[in-house]
Amino acid sequence: MATTVNPDERIVGSRGPGDGPGPEVMAASTLTGNDVLNSSGENLGDIEAIMLDVPSGRVAYAVLSFGGFLGVGDKLFAVPWRALKLDTDNKCFILDVDKDRLRDAPGFDKDHWPSMADTQWASKVHRYYGTQPYWE
């Protein structure tokens, strides 16, 4: 199920009137657990958490869980929110990164999270995914 994504679109798929508030405004809890696919349709993992920059009121990162089995051995990745597209038709996110590149991305494990407010760390993550930092 390959999906063509316009790089300027944040939401792809149907946007017709439906039940509930989405897809422009959604509860973060409804997005946690969603699959993340690349543009070739390969499953990259799922959304473990959505991280907010509380002072600015912006979504900073989605934490992607990848590579384990039943939650064991997963590697976590802070993916800049701007790197993700919401696919409403397939009820998933699209991250335009192949699996090998994701394996080499800056990551962490569930017991050793980075300081996500550290701008040096955050700038490195944004450079890796080719996104402009959300605070700029």
Side-chain angles (χ1 to χ4, degrees):
M1 150 184 75
T3 303
T4 303
V5 178
N6 177 340
D8 297 326
E9 287 289 325
R10 309 288 343 128
I11 301 171
V12 297
S14 304
R15 291 195 197 186
D19 297 332
E24 286 83 6
V25 176
M26 298 181 76
S29 62
T30 65
L31 303 174
T32 302
N34 279 16
D35 288 338
V36 177
L37 308 178
N38 63 19
S39 55
S40 298
E42 295 177 297
N43 190 327
L44 300 178
D46 57 74
I47 301 295
E48 181 84 13
I50 295 175
M51 307 304 293
L52 305 176
D53 178 323
V54 175
S56 73
R58 294 180 179 164
V59 176
Y61 304 99
V63 176
L64 172 63
S65 176
F66 170 76
F69 180 71
L70 298 176
V72 177
D74 285 0
K75 187 173 179 184
L76 301 178
F77 301 91
V79 176
W81 191 249
R82 291 179 181 171
L84 294 166
K85 313 285 187 224
L86 178 63
D87 182 337
T88 59
D89 290 339
N90 296 303
K91 297 183 176 20
C92 66
F93 283 95
I94 300 168
L95 175 61
D96 196 19
V97 172
D98 67 33
K99 278 189 174 184
D100 290 332
R101 179 147 172 83
L102 183 60
R103 281 187 190 97
D104 295 334
F108 53 98
D109 69 57
K110 66 179 181 163
D111 296 322
H112 299 96
W113 286 52
S115 173
M116 293 184 178
D118 175 359
T119 56
Q120 279 190 318
W121 172 86
S123 293
K124 177 180 165 185
V125 169
H126 281 275
R127 274 192 307 276
Y128 193 85
Y129 290 100
T131 57
Q132 181 177 351
Y134 67 91
W135 62 88
E136 291 181 354

